[in-house]
Amino acid sequence: MVARVIPVDPFDLVVFGATGDLALRKIMPALCCRFADGQMPTDARVIGAARGEMTTGAYRAEVAQALDAVLTGPDTPSAQTRRDFLDRLDYITLDARGEEGWPALRDTLRPDPVRSFYFAVAPSLFGALAERLDRWSLITPQTRIVAEKPFGHDQASARALNAALAQHFTEAQIYRIDHYLGKETVQNLMAVRFANILFEPLWNARFIDHVQITVAETVGVGGRGDYYAQTGAMRDMVQNHLMQLLCLIAMEPPHRFDPDAMRDEKLKVIRALDPLAPGDIVRGQYSGGRDTPSFADETGEAGENTESYVALRAGIANWRWKGTPFYLRTGKRLSRRVSEIAVTFRDPPHSIFGEGAPWRENVLVIRLQPDEGMDLRVMIKEPGPGGMRLKDVALDMSFAEALGDDLHIPDAYERLIMDVIRGNQTLFMRSDEVEAAWAWVDPVIAGFGRLEDAPVAYAPGSDGPDQATELLRRDGRQWREIR
Ligand code: BG6
C-alpha cells in the first residue's frame, strides 16, 4: 500500500544544534525520507546552525555519513536522492549566546515561506535563542519553533521555560515534541478508540481490569551517562512518553481531532492522577554483564541514586477509571526492545461452562514496536469432537501484513516535522500539559533520596528487578512477559 503524500508549503527550516546527535541521527534522516517521498517542495531549504566553524560542504559530508549510518533498510532513499537532498542543506556557524552568525542567518532566510526553528539543543539555550530570534527580527507570522525534550527538569523549570518562550512567541507558534506521539501505532490507538464503536462501551473500570504500558529497551545509557545520571528513567521516559500513552488510553473522546480538543482531554487525565505513594514505585539499575558495563560504570558517582528502570502503579480518580490500575514500566538493558500497551478485560460475570473450564482474560495488545500491530486474545472452542473445550487464541493483526509488504512505517520525526510545517499542533504538547505532567512526578522524584526506594539491581538482559514483579503480585496480577 503506497502512502498518499501531500507536499507541504515551501519552507525554511533552521536546525540549531545541527551537529548534535539528535540532528544527525533523527532530524536529517527524517527530512531526507520526506524529501525522497516528494513531501518536501522543491524550494524547501534546510539550514544547519551550530557553534563549530565548518563550511557547508563539510557539513553536507557529515550529514551524508549520518544518513548512511541510519538509513540502511531496503526502502531507504537512493544515493542520488540523498545527494539531491544534501544539495538543499546550508550551514551557518552561529553562537546562540553571542552575536556571531545572526546577520548571516538573517540574510539567508526568505521573507515569505513558512519559517521554522528547531531547537535541537539543551533547554538551557532555549531562552537565549528565542531572545536573539526576536532581537534580529527573524520572527514572522509564519514562524514556528520546535522544542525538544527534556522540557525542563521539574515543574518550576518547565514553567520558567514556558515563560521565557512566551515573551517572544504565541502558544500557537510553539511545538513541544514528544516523539512517541508521532509513532504510527500511537496515532492508530486514537483511530482504534475513536473510529470504532466496538471498544468504547467496554472502555472503563467496569470492564477493564487493568492496563500495562511497557517501554523496554535493550540499549544502556551508553555515551549519555552524564545526562542520564541527572535525569533517570522517571524524567527521561515516564514524565513524557509513558504519560502520553497513558493519556491516550484513558482520555475521554475529544469532540474533534483538533489540537486543543485533544490536549484538553489529555490534561484532564493528568490532573486526575492519584498522587503516587512510595510503595507504588520500584526503581532499578542494571548491573554489569559479561560484555556490558553496569549503570554505575556509565554514570559514575553522580548516578548513584538514579534509576535506569521504573515500574509504577498509577490510579486515575474519575468515574471512568476509579478501580482500574495502570501499571507503567520502562527500563534500559532489558531482554527485548518492546513497546506495547496491554488492556486486560475483566472476567465474564458467570461461566456457563462450569468452574473447571480453562480461562484466560481478553487482552487487547497494541504493539508500538517492533512489528507494529494489534492483537486481541479471545476464548474460542477448540475445534473437533470431544466436548466443549475452550482455548484462548490471538486475533493478531500485524500492520505490515494487513496493509501490504511495501508499507513503509515512517519514523516519528518524519511525521512530526511535517506537522510543524503544516501548522498542526495536535501531536505536540501544550504548556499546561507539560507543567501538569511535572507536577505529578515532582513529589515522587523529590522523595527519591530515601533509603527504602533506592534503586535495586537487575541483571542486564532480564525483565527488570524482582521487586517490580512483587508490585503486581500483591495485587494478584502479573506483568506480561517482555517478548
Ligand atoms: C528518548 C529518550 O526520548 O527516547 C531515550 O531520551 C530513549 O533515553 C528513547 O532511548 C526511546 O525512543 P524509541 O523511539 O527508540 O523508543
Side-chain angles (χ1 to χ4, degrees):
M1 199 172 117
V2 180
R4 204 159 48 96
V5 171
I6 304 167
V8 293
D9 289 338
F11 64 85
D12 283 347
L13 169 65
V14 181
V15 180
F16 296 117
T19 49
D21 198 53
L22 177 73
L24 294 174
R25 274 194 331 108
K26 290 291 183 185
I27 302 173
M28 293 303 165
L31 285 166
C32 182
C33 288
R34 290 300 86 219
F35 174 75
D37 259 7
Q39 200 165 17
M40 259 172 79
T42 41
D43 54 353
R45 292 186 325 171
V46 180
I47 301 139
R51 266 178 67 176
E53 291 284 347
M54 202 189 288
T55 61
T56 289
Y59 184 60
R60 287 180 182 172
E62 196 167 332
V63 174
Q65 252 185 16
L67 297 182
D68 289 346
V70 176
L71 301 176
T72 52
D75 56 354
T76 48
S78 68
Q80 183 57 48
T81 308
R82 291 175 198 212
R83 280 195 293 275
D84 292 345
F85 167 73
L86 292 168
D87 283 346
R88 257 141 243 272
L89 269 185
D90 279 318
Y91 180 81
I92 291 182
T93 303
L94 178 138
D95 183 359
R97 290 209 167 96
E99 303 314 315
E100 189 192 358
W102 292 96
L105 182 59
R106 189 190 47 197
D107 296 345
T108 303
L109 294 172
R110 299 169 293 175
D112 298 326
V114 170
R115 187 179 280 190
S116 298
F117 298 103
Y118 200 128
F119 292 8
V121 294
S124 52
L125 289 177
F126 288 5
L129 283 173
E131 196 265 316
R132 278 186 178 60
L133 287 172
D134 205 353
R135 178 141 37 104
W136 286 94
S137 305
L138 300 181
I139 305 173
T140 61
Q142 285 275 63
T143 292
R144 286 130 216 194
I145 58 162
V146 186
E148 258 301 329
K149 70 172 269 275
F151 200 84
H153 58 270
D154 57 12
Q155 191 191 26
S157 55
R159 207 172 258 167
L161 269 183
N162 280 330
L165 295 180
Q167 283 183 26
H168 309 282
F169 301 98
T170 63
E171 181 62 27
Q173 292 180 301
I174 305 174
Y175 289 70
R176 296 175 196 79
I177 280 209
D178 181 321
H179 78 278
Y180 263 61
L181 290 180
K183 288 190 189 275
E184 195 68 16
T185 321
V186 174
Q187 295 168 65
N188 238 312
L189 173 58
M190 291 180 267
V192 167
R193 278 202 64 196
F194 303 131
N196 297 288
I197 190 69
L198 196 62
F199 297 109
E200 178 54 25
L202 304 178
W203 212 254
N204 55 55
R206 192 163 155 224
F207 295 103
I208 293 182
D209 178 71
H210 73 280
V211 177
Q212 294 186 18
I213 301 178
T214 300
V215 177
E217 298 183 273
T218 49
V219 292
V221 298
R224 297 201 305 162
D226 289 344
Y227 161 79
Y228 223 84
Q230 306 302 326
T231 315
M234 196 72 184
R235 286 191 172 101
D236 184 50
M237 301 294 289
V238 175
Q239 185 270 348
N240 34 72
H241 305 326
L242 279 89
M243 282 184 74
Q244 287 294 323
L245 298 181
L246 178 136
C247 284
L248 296 176
I249 288 283
M251 69 197 265
E252 295 300 315
H255 71 283
R256 269 210 316 267
F257 187 56
D258 91 1
D260 279 326
M262 283 286 294
R263 298 184 296 180
D264 286 346
E265 296 305 338
K266 286 196 288 164
L267 181 62
K268 284 184 208 159
V269 174
I270 301 174
R271 291 195 171 143
L273 284 166
D274 287 327
L276 281 174
D280 289 338
I281 176 160
V282 172
R283 300 197 299 142
Q285 277 185 357
Y286 53 82
S287 29
R290 210 150 28 113
D291 309 310
T292 52
S294 67
F295 184 74
D297 292 337
E298 287 173 324
T299 55
E301 219 174 286
E304 213 170 10
N305 188 33
T306 308
E307 70 289 343
S308 58
Y309 175 100
V310 181
L312 62 86
R313 177 191 199 280
I316 302 176
N318 64 20
W319 278 33
R320 190 188 279 265
W321 293 117
K322 188 78 195 168
T324 294
F326 286 72
Y327 300 103
L328 275 48
R329 67 178 158 165
T330 182
K332 301 211 183 284
R333 279 251 201 278
L334 297 176
S335 53
R336 297 279 307 271
R337 178 174 187 248
V338 173
S339 296
E340 63 165 41
I341 302 166
V343 178
T344 300
F345 292 86
R346 293 194 192 279
D347 294 344
H350 163 70
S351 169
I352 65 166
F353 302 106
E355 285 304 307
W359 187 251
R360 285 284 296 275
E361 312 94 345
N362 298 135
V363 184
L364 173 68
V365 181
I366 298 141
R367 288 191 305 270
L368 271 54
Q369 57 198 26
D371 185 22
E372 292 85 344
M374 281 187 349
D375 160 351
L376 178 63
R377 297 204 78 87
V378 291
M379 297 300 289
I380 60 157
K381 174 193 169 296
E382 248 186 61
M388 190 62 162
R389 286 173 289 118
L390 299 178
K391 179 180 170 48
D392 85 299
V393 292
L395 300 179
D396 193 348
M397 188 175 90
S398 148
F399 292 155
E401 269 172 40
L403 301 176
D405 285 346
D406 55 353
L407 173 78
H408 164 67
I409 297 197
D411 184 76
Y413 280 90
E414 294 182 41
R415 162 73 194 241
L416 293 175
I417 296 171
M418 290 301 110
D419 277 359
V420 173
I421 307 295
R422 276 200 211 96
N424 184 346
Q425 286 187 308
T426 309
L427 300 176
F428 295 82
M429 291 177 297
R430 206 168 54 191
S431 57
D432 48 3
E433 207 182 334
V434 178
E435 290 178 21
W438 280 121
W440 188 63
V441 298
D442 274 357
V444 192
I445 295 174
F448 276 171
R450 283 188 309 262
L451 217 50
E452 67 267 27
D453 57 18
V456 289
Y458 61 93
S462 70
D463 280 5
D466 295 343
Q467 286 81 345
T469 312
E470 195 45 44
L471 183 73
L472 264 72
R473 191 180 296 141
R474 72 173 198 218
D475 290 352
R477 302 188 174 101
Q478 62 184 40
W479 289 110
R480 287 167 52 78
E481 220 177 288
I482 297 181
R483 67 195 139 92

